[in-house]
Amino acid sequence: MKFFDKFKKILGIEAGEANNIIEYEAFKNVYVRKKVKDNRKYLQEILSNAADIVYREFVIGAAQQHLLMVFVDGMVEKKLIGEQVLKSLMVELNEATYREIFTIEEIKNRLVSTAEIREAETFDTLMLALMSGDTLIFAEGSAHGLIIGSKGWESRGVSEPTTEKAVKGPKDCFIETLRSNIVLIRRRIRDPNLAVEVLQIGRRTKTDVAIVYIKGVLNPEIAEEIKRRIQAVDIDGITDSSQLEELIADHPWTIFPLGRITERPDKVTAALLEGRAAIVVDGSPFVLIVPVTFSTFLSAVDDYYQRSIVASTIRLTRYLSFYISAALPGLYLALVSFHPGMIPPPLALAIVGTRVALPFPSFVEMILMETVLEILQEAGIRLPQAIGQTVSIVGGIVIGQAAVQAGVVSPIIVIIVALTAITSFTLPSYHINLSSRILRMPFILVGATLGFYGIVILSLFVLLHMASLTSFGVGYLEDFSPYRIRDFKDIFIRVPMKLMRKRPEFLKPEDTQRQVDRKKMKEKTDDQ
């Protein structure tokens, strides 16, 4: 009992205080004892409120040496534990009638046949392994514990992407298991230089975070900066890669995303080959790509599965759609309020005719309809998938038609609002879609108060703000300026794949060559 009281004193807890908070750091000073009963009593005291912890004591050999196995029910692969641990120790060893007392090292090297197994002498390592789904073994007479890799919890199978649809290309997506997500990347990049560095975040969750990149391609300074920022995060825990993106972003006070969140392994593969890095968070089906630029969010996976002319045309449409989605309501209010002379007379007469006897000015109508649109979009997201889209579409049609017939808003306002919503749906990234929706309201305000002058001033302000942003040292608009003909091959348009021989220069990759020009090589060889 004196020894166990020492344990409690080290951790700063008293008997009966079940709600005391225990940090992993406190376990560093607690060493494994040689008696199995002491180790079990200690674990039961610390994990007194954990009903899913399984303790299994058994004896091995003719010497009847006591062993203790501890694991979390539901987090281990019980078949592996039964066949490769318990069967080896309790059946095969007893049949061989061994009479010696085994140390943990001998059990690891001679008796247990699992692939992943290691020793530990302090409870900080043991407790973290236990809570991660591994199995612990304590042996009588040994001052070390054995950690057996036995993770085997239930997980969702690889399925088709739900948020990033593509007409062509692979149909698999990431899931919530870190190892499975890394496998999906390794299947596509069979390069021994593919680096996977695993860190842990969260004082309580101890969430595994993997940094994936290609050595010799990614700029080493970017790799070190990513690791430095992740290691600097001090928080109770994270549950998704989006939270991590906010914690390590260069500029927290911006509406523009500074990391690309994706659920598609092919998109991550393309980013790694360009000279970027991927951050995979255990428990999240979305992977974070860094560093990014603005053009990253307006390119879709379909662009690289279509002919270059087709992909370029669609991409230019997205750039136009982004500005229309953000500024069209403000442009309309600027025209009708300050610059009606710029509207063709027939259209001006039609607009005036629809506004007869309306109770609100155009500005109020626009605010009202935009608010209704945002509510409908949010409702469509939160409702079950089977009825969410129906509510958004039917609700928009019914409310818009009813508002026009009731004489609350004019038909042209409904058309403008509907057009901004449709153009926002063309944006391939949900996060950049949110940015355009947030910008819409400031454009409405300056359009209604300052006209075209306000629209131009706000556009310049947004452009200057974007130019001031960085993503891990890479300028948000660095692929646009300074001008580099090499980088412009895959920004507004996409040139044929044969012409995209080098990686983007603004990423400063170590290996700049992506594709070899066979024709030039042949000419050089012939000259020699």
Side-chain angles (χ1 to χ4, degrees), residues 455-477:
I455 297 292
V456 172
I457 291 172
L458 181 58
S459 299
L460 290 175
F461 176 80
V462 172
L463 192 62
L464 288 172
H465 172 68
M466 293 172 65
S468 68
L469 298 176
T470 57
S471 176
F472 289 89
V474 176
Y476 206 55
L477 299 180

Side-chain angles (χ1 to χ4, degrees), residues 11 123 173 325 458 484:
L11 292 176
F123 273 92
C173 70
S325 172
L458 181 58
R484 305 180 186 92

Side-chain angles (χ1 to χ4, degrees), residues 27 47 107 118 122 179 192 215-216 251 277 315 383 386 388 410 422 480 483 488 501 527:
F27 295 117
L47 303 171
I107 294 174
R118 66 186 192 276
T122 57
R179 292 186 178 184
K215 290 186 294 184
H251 308 274
R315 186 178 292 182
L383 286 171
S410 63
I422 292 172
F480 297 100
Y483 173 78
F488 267 67
R501 298 189 180 96
D527 292 340

Side-chain angles (χ1 to χ4, degrees), residues 39-290:
N39 294 322
R40 174 167 182 167
K41 188 179 294 184
Y42 174 62
L43 288 173
Q44 287 178 331
E45 176 73 14
I46 300 303
L47 303 171
S48 58
N49 295 330
D52 56 343
I53 304 295
V54 177
Y55 302 90
R56 175 74 164 86
E57 284 195 44
F58 56 96
V59 295
I60 61 172
Q64 297 292 292
Q65 181 182 6
H66 282 265
L67 266 69
L68 170 66
M69 177 184 292
V70 186
F71 60 87
V72 181
D73 190 20
M75 292 186 68
V76 300
E77 189 177 343
K78 290 186 177 179
K79 185 177 180 181
L80 180 147
I81 296 300
E83 294 183 357
Q84 298 188 33
V85 180
L86 288 177
K87 184 178 179 181
S88 299
L89 294 175
M90 297 181 65
V91 179
E92 297 174 1
L93 186 62
N94 288 339
E95 290 177 354
T97 64
Y98 278 103
R99 295 186 177 277
E100 57 183 298
I101 299 296
F102 295 98
T103 64
I104 280 293
E105 185 175 357
E106 290 172 331
I107 294 174
K108 180 183 73 172
N109 296 330
R110 295 171 54 186
L111 307 180
V112 178
S113 59
T114 57
E116 186 181 347
I117 185 170
R118 66 186 192 276
E119 293 181 49
E121 62 177 353
T122 57
F123 273 92
D124 60 329
T125 305
L126 292 168
M127 289 293 291
L128 181 57
L130 177 66
M131 295 304 166
S132 299
D134 294 327
T135 299
L136 308 183
I137 290 182
F138 301 93
E140 190 74 23
S142 181
H144 288 75
L146 204 59
I147 300 172
I148 298 176
S150 58
K151 299 180 181 68
W153 51 77
E154 295 293 330
S155 62
R156 178 170 62 94
V158 177
S159 58
E160 187 174 346
T162 57
T163 61
E164 295 178 282
K165 297 288 186 179
V167 178
K168 295 182 179 180
K171 301 298 182 183
D172 56 346
C173 70
F174 291 115
I175 60 174
E176 288 78 9
T177 306
L178 179 68
R179 292 186 178 184
S180 299
N181 292 341
I182 293 175
V183 168
L184 289 173
I185 298 173
R186 281 203 179 274
R187 280 177 52 196
R188 291 168 165 82
I189 304 179
R190 303 174 185 180
D191 187 346
N193 293 311
L194 182 67
V196 180
E197 300 185 28
V198 179
L199 306 174
Q200 288 181 336
I201 294 180
R203 294 190 298 270
R204 302 193 185 282
T205 61
K206 296 293 181 182
T207 305
D208 289 329
V209 176
I211 306 171
V212 186
Y213 61 95
I214 302 176
K215 290 186 294 184
V217 176
L218 178 68
N219 186 341
E221 294 180 2
I222 295 178
E224 290 300 321
E225 182 65 14
I226 293 172
K227 285 186 283 187
R228 185 191 67 78
R229 293 191 190 183
I230 292 178
Q231 290 172 342
V233 173
D234 186 10
I235 193 173
D236 278 354
I238 61 170
T239 58
D240 190 75
S241 55
S242 299
Q243 296 175 329
L244 181 60
E245 188 264 337
E246 184 178 353
L247 289 169
I248 64 176
D250 297 47
H251 308 274
W253 297 100
T254 180
I255 62 172
F256 292 99
L258 299 178
R260 182 70 189 267
I261 304 291
T262 181
E263 63 175 345
R264 296 187 64 95
D266 55 337
K267 185 175 290 186
V268 171
T269 301
L272 296 178
L273 294 173
E274 277 188 336
R276 308 179 197 265
I279 302 176
V280 188
V281 178
D282 190 25
S284 173
F286 295 95
V287 172
L288 176 64
I289 298 173
V290 292

